[in-house]
Each structure stands twice: as structure tokens, then as C-alpha cells.
Amino acid sequence: MTLRSQKPGSRKPFLLVVCRQPGTIADDELRMVAKWGGLEVGTTLHTLNVLPREQPPEADVETDAAQGNYDGGQGETRAPQIDPKDAETEAKTGEYGAQSVAGNGRFQWDDAGECPVDLRDYAGVIISGSPYSYGTQPASDDEFKTPAHLQMERRVQELCRHLLAADFPTLGICYGMQSLAIAGGAALCADFPEDLQAPWVSLTPEGMRDGLTRSLPQRFEAYVGHSESLAGVPEGSVVLATGDFCPLQIVRWGNNVYGTQFHPEITTAGMRIRIDTYGETYYPADEKARVQARCDRADVRAANHLISEFARRYR
């Protein structure tokens, strides 16, 4: 299944796929993606919440904000249905990959329902982080995943398979990158967890040539916070950046699908929100001041630039 190239100079909006409950962190994530992308929420940045309305157990960790519809003003979110028949591709490629690709078609969620979006209407997709994890133990699904959690995984996986097959412009952030990897047949592991901090990320030679990442410094700081990561280089992908501890920090599939283990959307203020919200998830409560101090010292502006470049490249 493939997608049709958009015309150069088009100004289609981007789609932010939200993989978390509405509230403080989701609001900050949307606001920062819009800011770094130079986008306007509801006009040039739309949102799709793939998380069912059932309250997951992680929500108490994620946010204490009141629950409600979080769809960027686009109307009530419904379970998508996309049919891939009769789609085409006209990918515009070059030395550093495709310059611009847009989508065609609707696909079918396994839980049915009409999709509220059609990728033909979008310049690119950004998949958010999430408080959820996929779990690296075989029995993990039965042990801790709610029906809502499992349904969200199925929806995100179907979307990611569609995006990978189509080589549709995509930026998967943390959980989004892991979702792309699993959809492409790769595995996750718990060998390289990173708590709330800003490690150094280094571009590989491929990263210094890639059309999206070559404008970044060869070495820069970026905020992280994850328990799982890619277990190895996914088949058919290229490693664009590595970390001093977690080895896979930016990966590209095809010409247009990118994933980052770090969070390019988070600012210093945004990291403070996460430090307050996650409490003892990543660190003991009495270490909060130390964690905040080390995060405050980091300069992550280069990492933020990745979203700016993604929006500029594909809009």
C-alpha cells in the first residue's frame, strides 16, 4: 500500500497523534509541537487521540487534570477506518531522501468505526510519547494492560504499519518511535532505560548527511524519560543518531519515516511539568531537587530544532 506525493509548495496541515490522556502534559506537548513547527493548533496542526475513553491505571501518574475530549477543536474523536485500496505513490527522492510526500487512503481499525482523518489531507504525522509501555515480558499483556491500553496499541500499530508501507512523512517521538519499530517487526528491550535527564546525542555519518538531521549539531543534549528502547537496529532502517547510554536515538525508515527516542518537543519548563507529574516513577521523591537541577542545566534547543526542520521540510 502506497501514497501519492503532494505538490511542492502545498500548505497542508500536520497531524499530531496523541497517545496519552488529556491534561497538563498533553497540553504542553501539543503547544510545543505547534511552537517548534511554526504551526497553529486547529488550522495547520490537527490532533487525533487514539486512546479510548476508558480511564487507564497510568492516568494518575500522567495527570490529575480533569478528563475531557482532546481533539484540537476538530470535533469528537472516533475510531478510524481507512481502506488502503487504489492508493498510489509518487515519492520524490534524491541523495538525502524524499523531499515531500503526502498520503492517500483510509485504513480499517480492527475495532471498526470511521476514521476522522484522511492522510491525503496532511503533510505529515507526528506520533506523541505516552505513559504506557509495550512491556518486554511475554505475560505482560495479561498482567497489567487494560482493554483501553490494548485497544490503543492495536490502533497505533495499524497506523504505523500504514505509515511505514507508504513511506509517509512521520516523526515518532519516544513511544511513537517504539510503535514504528514494533510495526516494522522489530523488538524492544529494557536494557537501556533513561530517567528524566538530558543525555548527549551524537549524529552518525548517515545522520550528518540526512536531509532532516544534517542541520543539527553533530552532538547535542536532548530530554529523555523511558523504560524501554529498541533492542537492535530495525530491518530496513538507518541509524541517524546514537546516545552515550541508549544506543539508538534517531532512526529513519525508508526516506520519510523518522523516530526519536528522546523528546524534541520538551523545553525546560516542560520537563519541570514532567518532574512534578511523574513523582517517584523515575526517581525517589527526595531526589526531585537534584533531578530538576540537572535538567535545568541542559540546553536542548538543538533538539527542539528537529521539529522545526520536520515541519519546514514537509509542509
Side-chain angles (χ1 to χ4, degrees):
M1 202 263 338
T2 53
L3 301 181
R4 184 187 301 275
S5 240
Q6 71 183 65
K7 295 180 181 179
S10 67
R11 286 295 181 267
K12 294 182 178 181
F14 287 80
L15 179 68
L16 174 62
V17 179
V18 182
C19 304
R20 61 173 82 251
Q21 288 287 337
T24 305
I25 290 181
D27 290 346
D28 179 70
E29 194 165 52
L30 174 62
R31 184 169 58 251
M32 289 301 101
V33 167
K35 176 181 178 180
W36 302 130
L39 305 170
E40 182 179 348
V41 176
T43 303
T44 52
L45 180 63
H46 299 171
T47 63
L48 171 66
N49 195 330
V50 294
L51 184 63
R53 292 183 180 277
E54 174 185 331
Q55 184 82 0
E58 292 90 341
D60 290 338
V61 174
E62 177 64 20
T63 178
D64 59 1
Q67 303 303 307
N69 186 34
Y70 181 66
D71 61 1
Q74 300 305 302
E76 183 175 355
T77 299
R78 296 173 291 163
Q81 173 182 336
I82 299 179
D83 183 0
K85 295 179 181 179
D86 299 323
E88 302 177 41
T89 289
E90 298 172 1
K92 180 181 178 183
T93 59
E95 180 182 0
Y96 303 108
Q99 297 301 307
S100 180
V101 176
N104 181 25
R106 290 179 175 272
F107 59 89
Q108 175 71 51
W109 287 135
D110 65 0
D111 53 2
E114 179 70 17
C115 180
V117 299
D118 187 326
L119 291 180
R120 286 176 296 187
D121 299 331
Y122 293 95
V125 171
I126 300 173
I127 306 174
S128 81
S130 177
Y132 290 101
S133 63
Y134 277 100
T136 55
Q137 301 300 319
S140 60
D141 285 4
D142 295 332
E143 289 176 357
F144 72 88
K145 294 185 180 180
T146 67
H149 184 165
L150 293 170
Q151 184 180 17
M152 185 194 73
E153 284 188 0
R154 291 191 295 268
R155 291 178 175 183
V156 173
Q157 287 299 294
E158 184 62 32
L159 173 61
C160 287
R161 285 191 291 270
H162 182 79
L163 296 168
L164 287 167
D167 196 21
F168 188 78
T170 301
L171 179 62
I173 297 172
C174 194
Y175 183 86
M177 175 186 184
Q178 295 168 6
S179 298
L180 288 164
I182 292 177
L188 304 182
C189 70
D191 298 339
F192 306 103
E194 293 178 301
D195 60 9
L196 302 179
Q197 57 179 290
W200 287 96
V201 174
S202 300
L203 295 181
T204 64
E206 292 81 4
M208 288 185 281
R209 293 191 296 269
D210 181 83
L212 177 65
T213 58
R214 61 184 174 180
S215 63
L216 299 174
Q218 197 278 324
R219 187 169 165 85
F220 57 93
E221 291 178 289
Y223 285 134
V224 297
H226 60 97
S227 59
E228 297 176 333
S229 57
L230 275 60
V233 180
E235 183 177 356
S237 71
V238 177
V239 179
L240 302 180
T242 63
D244 290 349
F245 177 68
C246 183
L248 300 177
Q249 287 287 355
I250 307 180
V251 171
R252 188 192 75 230
W253 289 264
N255 292 309
N256 300 289
V257 179
Y258 294 83
T260 70
Q261 186 58 74
F262 64 86
H263 284 267
E265 81 283 9
I266 300 180
T267 61
T268 301
M271 180 53 81
R272 287 186 174 187
I273 292 173
R274 287 154 178 82
I275 291 171
D276 288 339
T277 300
Y278 284 111
E280 297 183 23
T281 302
Y282 287 109
Y283 56 85
D286 59 2
E287 293 187 16
K288 177 180 177 179
R290 179 185 62 81
V291 172
Q292 183 166 307
R294 75 182 182 190
C295 289
D296 284 353
R297 286 194 295 269
D299 182 353
V300 299
R301 287 174 293 179
N304 300 149
H305 177 70
L306 186 64
I307 294 177
S308 304
E309 187 62 21
F310 180 79
R312 184 202 66 78
R313 181 173 171 78
Y314 291 110
R315 68 188 312 173

